[in-house]
Amino acid sequence: MRSTHHRRATAACAAVVAAGALVLAGLPGSAAAQAEPSSPASSSTSPAETASVGRTSPGVLTAMRRDLGLTSAQAKARLVNEAEAGADAGALRATLGRAFAGAWVSGATSARLTVATTDAADVPAIEARGAESRVVDHSATRLDAAKARLDRAAKKTTTRDVPVWYVDVRSNAVVVRAVHASAAKSLVAAAGVGSSLVRVERTSERPRPLYDLVGGEAYYMGGGRCSIGFPVTKGTQQGFATAGHCGRAGTATSGYNQVAQGTFQASIFPGRDMAWVAVNSQWTATPYVKGQGGQRIGVGGSTQSPVGASICRSGSTTGWHCGTISQHNTSVTYPEGTISGVTRTTVCAEPGDSGGSFISGSQAQGVTSGGSGNCSSGGTTYYQPINPLLQQYGLTLKTTGGGEDPGPGEPEPGGTWAAGQVYAAGDSVTYGGTTYRCLQPHQAQTGWEPPNTPALWQAV
């Protein structure tokens, strides 16, 4: 194990040097990013290059240094390591199958990847990829199924005093956070979930939707204000993704300048917290998020970051703040009802930040939903993942890749793979006569064809 970890650390050190050059090359008007150092025999695109780590905005790196206590080199190394870890975890998930029990990164630069399995025979395969192994009792599939039962029970059970529950891969359990332990016991009993799968934690948090929040730019609806999450297109129609609690279908919006802007086309809340707004011809969607001081942060794609990865949020009330991803697949109860499938983070937020952008490096992660606490004493914030939102409404994320991607579902030459389509881990496509399995959730883009992106696709 020590030798494989040493090889990973050596590769990461080399990648840091490359990432430093790539950040400079990724400034506006500069040349395309350079590939990371690799063996002469390999010409495949590295995970860091696939995730556009080299194009990460200096503003994101600055916020990571401030909020995560990192040096500039550590921030760059962390993004490179997280891209590599995501690819390794995706490949191992495919290899381990039903025995896979989750993966997470740790350490200041995310240099340590841990992969859990229910089968001790998988340990050599895990360590062969430079990851640490952990043998546990419950598979990810079993934990997800248990949480799904809690989600169903929540539709018939009052969960005001059980505000949050999620699959925690680190502890190999479904964690139920409750204001009163009796409320947690009632929910678990109603769901019929075995006690060996659940860990109850006491909490005083009372999450709420963060109304009047701005991610990139402010927009208004009636007497309220929310934020643009990520600009998108649907065919030739331009618009933006945002939080569902900000408005219902038919709600009119005006922009930051109070000029008529658009209309909510669809919205889900509670249950999920997703919506999209179509804008009029006076507005143009761009591939950017508004950063601190008005700086523009480029969006390179929507590859999902793993648990433990760094993430930053933009909001008009509190500006740029960073933290880490605590858990995916979380359910949280607001006064209006339960939201499922959101991601829990250590990033702080306050009223005025809702609907805004969560981004890891240059990769869009989701739109701000709600949370508890504040940015003075710290807090917990939840976001609606962007990929399910894009898939729900057939939207295409605006990215800095240049040009317009075909709409979702439009096939590319050579197989069933299609630019603009949202793919989940485990999905299969064909391209050039070869079948590929998706390793990481993302929305496909031109230039990200399966043979060109081994961090996202594995030939089978």
Side-chain angles (χ1 to χ4, degrees):
M1 185 61 211
R2 181 176 299 175
S3 61
T4 55
H5 184 272
H6 176 73
R7 289 197 299 273
R8 177 183 289 275
T10 300
C13 290
V16 172
V17 177
L22 291 173
V23 169
L24 295 176
L27 294 174
S30 65
Q34 302 295 312
E36 287 185 61
S38 59
S39 64
S42 173
S43 60
S44 61
T45 306
S46 70
E49 192 172 19
T50 296
S52 302
V53 169
R55 296 182 182 180
T56 299
S57 165
V60 172
L61 296 171
T62 297
M64 288 176 65
R65 293 198 299 271
R66 181 194 66 199
D67 294 340
L68 296 176
L70 305 174
T71 65
S72 179
Q74 286 175 322
K76 295 172 185 176
R78 181 162 185 146
L79 293 174
V80 171
N81 285 335
E82 288 167 0
E84 180 181 330
D88 285 340
L92 284 168
R93 183 185 190 112
T95 299
L96 305 185
R98 295 185 64 83
F100 179 78
W104 60 95
V105 292
S106 55
T109 60
S110 295
R112 183 182 303 107
L113 169 65
T114 303
V115 176
T117 178
T118 58
D119 188 348
D122 292 331
V123 170
I126 294 172
E127 296 184 349
R129 292 195 75 100
E132 294 185 2
S133 60
R134 182 173 296 179
V135 180
V136 297
D137 294 330
H138 312 300
S139 68
T141 299
R142 187 180 184 191
L143 292 175
D144 286 341
K147 181 185 169 293
R149 297 186 71 172
L150 291 171
D151 291 343
R152 290 192 294 270
K155 296 178 181 179
K156 303 176 181 179
T157 305
T158 299
T159 58
R160 184 69 183 93
D161 290 332
V162 192
V164 181
W165 58 96
Y166 49 78
V167 172
D168 183 18
V169 294
R170 290 186 178 95
S171 64
N172 192 231
V174 177
V175 174
V176 178
R177 293 176 62 81
V179 177
H180 302 295
S182 59
K185 292 179 181 178
S186 295
L187 176 61
V188 173
V193 175
S195 59
S196 65
L197 293 166
V198 176
R199 188 176 81 252
V200 176
E201 294 181 354
R202 293 293 296 272
T203 181
S204 60
E205 64 179 303
R206 294 283 191 180
R208 67 204 184 282
L210 299 171
Y211 290 101
D212 298 336
L213 303 178
V214 178
E217 295 281 1
Y219 71 91
Y220 300 85
M221 56 290 166
R225 175 170 61 92
C226 267
S227 66
I228 295 171
F230 292 96
V232 297
T233 58
K234 186 169 186 176
T236 59
Q237 177 63 58
Q238 300 187 72
F240 58 87
T242 189
H245 70 258
C246 290
R248 296 298 182 218
T251 300
T253 68
S254 58
Y256 66 91
N257 51 7
Q258 300 292 346
V259 171
Q261 180 190 66
T263 306
F264 274 77
Q265 300 300 295
S267 175
I268 301 174
F269 180 81
R272 298 283 181 161
D273 198 0
M274 58 174 66
W276 84 282
V277 174
V279 298
N280 60 42
S281 59
Q282 291 182 277
W283 297 82
T284 301
T286 67
Y288 300 105
V289 168
K290 186 178 181 180
Q292 194 163 353
Q295 181 181 24
R296 287 191 165 191
I297 309 299
V299 178
S302 64
T303 302
Q304 185 187 72
S305 290
V307 169
S310 53
I311 193 166
C312 299
R313 178 195 54 73
S314 175
S316 65
T317 299
T318 58
W320 272 93
H321 285 277
C322 296
T324 60
I325 296 174
S326 301
Q327 289 88 20
H328 292 304
N329 192 15
T330 297
S331 291
V332 55
T333 298
Y334 299 138
E336 297 83 351
T338 297
I339 311 299
S340 295
V342 294
T343 294
R344 182 170 181 259
T345 75
T346 64
V347 186
C348 69
E350 298 180 7
D353 292 328
S354 251
S357 317
F358 268 86
I359 190 167
S360 286
S362 68
Q363 299 299 299
Q365 299 298 310
V367 298
T368 304
S369 174
S372 58
N374 55 55
C375 289
S376 296
S377 60
T380 297
T381 305
Y382 304 87
Y383 67 80
Q384 163 66 54
I386 189 66
N387 285 324
L389 189 157
L390 298 173
Q391 188 173 45
Q392 175 74 28
Y393 301 126
L395 306 174
T396 298
L397 187 69
K398 288 288 289 188
T399 67
T400 54
E404 289 293 332
D405 288 338
E410 298 181 18
E412 293 290 316
T416 60
W417 180 88
Q421 183 68 41
V422 174
Y423 292 106
D427 286 351
S428 293
V429 300
T430 58
Y431 189 91
T434 301
T435 299
Y436 294 87
R437 180 185 295 111
C438 178
L439 300 179
Q440 300 185 75
H442 69 286
Q443 184 171 46
Q445 304 177 45
T446 301
W448 283 17
E449 293 80 5
N452 301 331
T453 51
L456 300 178
W457 296 99
Q458 180 181 63
V460 297

